[in-house]
Amino acid sequence: MTWTVPGLRPGAVAIVTGAAGGIGLAIVRSLAAAGVRLACWDRADANLERAVAECGLAGAEGLAVPVDVTNREDCRTAARLSESLGPVRYAVNCAGIDRLRATVDMTDPEWREVLDVNLSGVLYCCLAEYDLMRSRGGAIVNIASMSASVFNRGALPHVGYNASKAGVVQLSRCLAVEWAGDGIRVNSVSPGYTRTAMTDRNPTELNLALVANVPLARMAEVDEIAAPVSFLLSDAAAYITGHDLLIDGGLTAW
Ligand code: NAI
């Protein structure tokens, strides 16, 4: 179910990276339902047509923007393209990858790949978005993870992922302070286990073991992540910046 959040500005433009993925697509749907126009960023080989089609279904304008977020120049070009929809007010940096591997078995390219996409990618997107927002203000939400705060009990070693997501939380806090004077709020959202292609790739026994640690005893649905993201972008969250919102079914409560 797509939740429509009050306090978003109809006709405003939002950038969503990772827009073809599970959580990104749900965020696109949630914003489009509020009349926000969407610049949908994802890799050139991703299914961006689907994201644009979802915007059309909601009666909102959508634009497919192929980009590799690990390439700083690519992000700048994508930002310029996005402006063709109008002044950009919102951005959600959601593109991310995961590589499951015990730390001692991890290769250097695997470590770098995860940090490049999940941490440098978020930085490059934020910088490109800042250029678009600095004269008018705006709101950015970076998608981190519950894995920024805990080791994933139930055997999910992925130190590069966890370290990159902890970096996203702290990066977001720093940008919130640096850019407050420009009227730009920056927050992060840290989802717990959420049903998407990322978790569908896990063996069933692993997913069962992970859910056994969740007080609400299930994974999140993507729309349950998208609605709080929309809230943080909206004027209803006008006094919230530098915050990390955990959406984890209670996992980190015990
Ligand atoms: P997904 O795999 O469905 O979507 C990720 C998207 O990022 C894909 O469309 C992919 O093409 C895109 N992407 C990857 N590398 C890229 C690059 N270099 N340039 C541009 N786009 C790129 O994954 P999901 O589950 O929707 O995850 C979205 C975000 O939420 C990720 O940052 C992930 O780490 C985070 N997250 C997911 C959780 C889950 O349980 N599914 C839990 C916590 C956080």
Side-chain angles (χ1 to χ4, degrees), residues 179-234:
W179 296 349
D182 299 298
I184 300 171
R185 294 184 297 106
V186 185
N187 292 291
S188 55
V189 158
S190 283
Y193 303 120
T194 308
R195 262 193 340 117
T196 67
M198 193 177 270
T199 43
D200 284 350
R201 280 191 286 270
N202 294 339
T204 309
E205 319 79 66
L206 173 58
N207 280 339
L208 288 173
L210 297 179
V211 165
N213 289 304
V214 181
L216 288 185
R218 63 175 177 86
M219 288 199 181
E221 300 297 331
V222 287
D223 295 324
E224 294 169 321
I225 308 299
V229 168
S230 292
F231 161 72
L232 283 174
L233 292 176
S234 77

Side-chain angles (χ1 to χ4, degrees), residues 17-25 41-47 66-71 74 93-98 116-118 121-122 143-147 161 164-165 189-202 219-220 222 225 247:
T17 81
I23 294 174
L25 189 61
W41 294 19
D42 209 304
R43 293 157 45 114
D45 59 357
N47 187 358
V67 63
D68 176 357
V69 297
T70 66
N71 182 316
D74 241 29
N93 298 312
C94 185
I97 58 169
D98 195 3
D116 280 351
V117 176
N118 292 5
V122 169
I143 305 301
S145 169
M146 169 184 79
S147 305
Y161 184 83
S164 70
K165 293 300 188 178
V189 158
S190 283
Y193 303 120
T194 308
R195 262 193 340 117
T196 67
M198 193 177 270
T199 43
D200 284 350
R201 280 191 286 270
N202 294 339
M219 288 199 181
V222 287
I225 308 299
I247 309 173

Side-chain angles (χ1 to χ4, degrees), residues 148-173:
S149 310
V150 293
F151 183 91
N152 299 79
R153 189 170 168 201
L156 197 65
H158 53 174
V159 66
Y161 184 83
N162 292 32
S164 70
K165 293 300 188 178
V168 169
V169 172
Q170 183 63 351
L171 171 75
S172 306
R173 270 193 209 112

Side-chain angles (χ1 to χ4, degrees), residues 4-251:
T4 314
V5 170
L8 286 165
R9 302 183 186 191
V13 176
I15 290 169
V16 177
T17 81
I23 294 174
L25 189 61
I27 293 167
V28 165
R29 268 199 306 270
S30 170
L31 293 173
V36 171
R37 287 179 281 167
L38 272 307
C40 304
W41 294 19
D42 209 304
R43 293 157 45 114
D45 59 357
N47 187 358
L48 275 172
E49 298 71 30
R50 179 159 173 221
V52 172
E54 295 268 4
C55 296
L57 284 175
E61 205 176 340
L63 177 72
V65 184
V67 63
D68 176 357
V69 297
T70 66
N71 182 316
R72 191 167 177 164
E73 199 44 51
D74 241 29
C75 294
R76 285 207 189 98
T77 306
R80 281 194 292 272
L81 277 173
S82 305
E83 263 198 319
S84 67
L85 286 175
V88 173
R89 171 148 204 98
Y90 307 127
V92 183
N93 298 312
C94 185
I97 58 169
D98 195 3
R99 297 288 179 264
L100 304 182
R101 187 87 70 218
T103 306
V104 291
D105 298 330
M106 191 181 51
T107 64
D108 203 37
E110 283 168 341
W111 167 257
R112 286 181 194 283
E113 183 190 17
V114 172
L115 284 168
D116 280 351
V117 176
N118 292 5
L119 184 53
S120 302
V122 169
L123 172 67
Y124 298 155
C125 290
C126 283
L127 286 169
E129 291 149 7
Y130 174 73
D131 283 342
L132 303 180
M133 293 178 183
R134 64 193 300 180
S135 59
R136 283 179 298 264
I140 297 175
V141 173
N142 294 322
I143 305 301
S145 169
M146 169 184 79
S147 305
S149 310
V150 293
F151 183 91
N152 299 79
R153 189 170 168 201
L156 197 65
H158 53 174
V159 66
Y161 184 83
N162 292 32
S164 70
K165 293 300 188 178
V168 169
V169 172
Q170 183 63 351
L171 171 75
S172 306
R173 270 193 209 112
C174 295
L175 297 184
V177 176
E178 284 194 45
W179 296 349
D182 299 298
I184 300 171
R185 294 184 297 106
V186 185
N187 292 291
S188 55
V189 158
S190 283
Y193 303 120
T194 308
R195 262 193 340 117
T196 67
M198 193 177 270
T199 43
D200 284 350
R201 280 191 286 270
N202 294 339
T204 309
E205 319 79 66
L206 173 58
N207 280 339
L208 288 173
L210 297 179
V211 165
N213 289 304
V214 181
L216 288 185
R218 63 175 177 86
M219 288 199 181
E221 300 297 331
V222 287
D223 295 324
E224 294 169 321
I225 308 299
V229 168
S230 292
F231 161 72
L232 283 174
L233 292 176
S234 77
D235 289 347
Y239 201 59
I240 304 179
T241 197
H243 185 71
D244 179 54
L245 179 58
L246 272 156
I247 309 173
D248 63 357
L251 187 141

